[in-house]
Amino acid sequence: GQQVMQIPQYQHVQEGEDFTTYCNSSTTLSNIQWYKQRPGGHPVFLIQLVKSGEVKKQKRLTFQFGEAKKNSSLHITATQTTDVGTYFCAGHDGGATNKLIFGTGTLLAVQP
Amino acid sequence: DAGVTQSPTHLIKTRGQHVTLRCSPISGHKSVSWYQQVLGQGPQFIFQYYEKEERGRGNFPDRFSARQFPNYSSELNVNALLLGDSALYLCASSLERLGGRRTFGSGTRLTVV
């Protein structure tokens, strides 16, 4: 079945450093979404990317969808303590079903 | 507007018992999805319902079932509970049948002892 892997599993940075998480799918995706889950919380939608090679920015966050629509990345510039949490990518395979398959997640810890 | 509401928030059950979890989507959302999240892992897709019909099913045993009501609320049922069913069960609603952002509820924390 479809698998979505993320690396790294865990990243510890000093406040102000940059952070990147990478997402790779075993199959081509129709779109990819990113979610953030704070410790003890639930996933919160960040963004959706649909087009091959698409790049979107939200303040310090930059999201990219690969040309082959099988990979994606999230880059955070100058991390802040409020960025702490687990970042998940989630992809639709474009089939008739509405399966949104979540990646394995990257836990970001930010030291003040 | 109210977000996605789930009940109960916490639940403790004994092995072999049955459990029913409930979810009310955002007003106007016709699609409800259920996910299981084990500690330290990503949410695993269980079911998706749209307009009261099952539209997607993940790799879960037949002990797991769900339904959606005319008001678009949903129930997830799990029979013959196992210790491994202990997890956070998340409900998410969305506008579209296919694709679209998911808005998650706060989840039901199920512990099977």
Side-chain angles (χ1 to χ4, degrees), chain B residues 9-98:
Chain B
T9 55
H10 295 83
L11 202 53
I12 300 175
K13 288 286 189 178
T14 305
R15 276 179 298 174
Q17 284 189 315
H18 161 271
V19 69
T20 297
L21 310 181
R22 295 177 174 82
C23 172
S24 293
I26 290 174
S27 177
H29 285 194
K30 298 181 179 180
S31 175
V32 170
S33 300
W34 286 95
Y35 288 83
Q36 180 196 67
Q37 187 174 29
V38 174
L39 195 62
Q41 297 182 17
Q44 298 295 309
F45 175 78
I46 310 176
F47 287 110
Q48 192 250 347
Y49 277 78
Y50 180 81
E51 287 282 16
K52 303 180 288 294
E53 290 189 15
E54 181 184 303
R55 303 291 182 165
R57 173 186 285 256
N59 296 325
F60 280 81
D62 291 343
R63 299 185 295 109
F64 289 76
S65 64
R67 54 180 176 168
Q68 187 177 32
F69 298 99
N71 66 353
Y72 303 111
S73 67
S74 178
E75 283 183 354
L76 175 70
N77 295 284
V78 187
N79 292 324
L81 286 166
L82 303 174
L83 295 179
D85 295 331
S86 296
L88 178 67
Y89 288 84
L90 294 162
C91 171
S93 76
S94 57
L95 269 174
E96 299 94 346
R97 182 176 77 84
L98 293 175

Side-chain angles (χ1 to χ4, degrees), chain A residues 31 33 35 37 41-43 45 48 88 92 95-104, chain B residues 31 35 37 41-43 45 48 55-57 90 97-102 104-106:
Chain A
N31 63 63
Q33 300 177 1
Y35 291 80
Q37 186 172 22
H42 56 275
F45 176 85
Q48 176 171 285
F88 292 101
H92 280 104
T97 63
N98 199 23
K99 289 184 183 181
L100 181 64
I101 305 301
F102 276 75
T104 48
Chain B
S31 175
Y35 288 83
Q37 187 174 29
Q41 297 182 17
F45 175 78
Q48 192 250 347
R55 303 291 182 165
R57 173 186 285 256
L90 294 162
R97 182 176 77 84
L98 293 175
R101 62 183 290 174
R102 305 296 196 269
F104 283 85
S106 299

Side-chain angles (χ1 to χ4, degrees), chain A residues 61-73:
Chain A
L61 278 61
T62 301
F63 304 84
Q64 186 167 8
F65 201 8
E67 294 291 340
K69 302 184 79 173
K70 294 182 72 174
N71 57 73
S72 181
S73 65

Side-chain angles (χ1 to χ4, degrees), chain A residues 6-75:
Chain A
Q6 285 182 251
I7 54 170
Q9 280 187 297
Y10 171 77
Q11 181 111 42
H12 180 208
V13 300
Q14 296 280 354
E15 190 172 21
E17 292 182 335
D18 292 356
F19 160 76
T20 303
T21 173
Y22 299 92
C23 171
N24 290 285
S25 171
S26 59
T27 60
T28 302
L29 302 170
S30 61
N31 63 63
I32 195 152
Q33 300 177 1
W34 285 89
Y35 291 80
K36 176 183 178 181
Q37 186 172 22
R38 293 182 183 276
H42 56 275
V44 175
F45 176 85
L46 294 176
I47 208 160
Q48 176 171 285
L49 305 170
V50 178
K51 299 177 183 176
S52 170
E54 188 171 13
V55 178
K56 286 189 176 180
K57 293 188 176 184
Q58 287 181 349
K59 297 182 181 179
R60 296 177 294 104
L61 278 61
T62 301
F63 304 84
Q64 186 167 8
F65 201 8
E67 294 291 340
K69 302 184 79 173
K70 294 182 72 174
N71 57 73
S72 181
S73 65
L74 158 60
H75 179 81

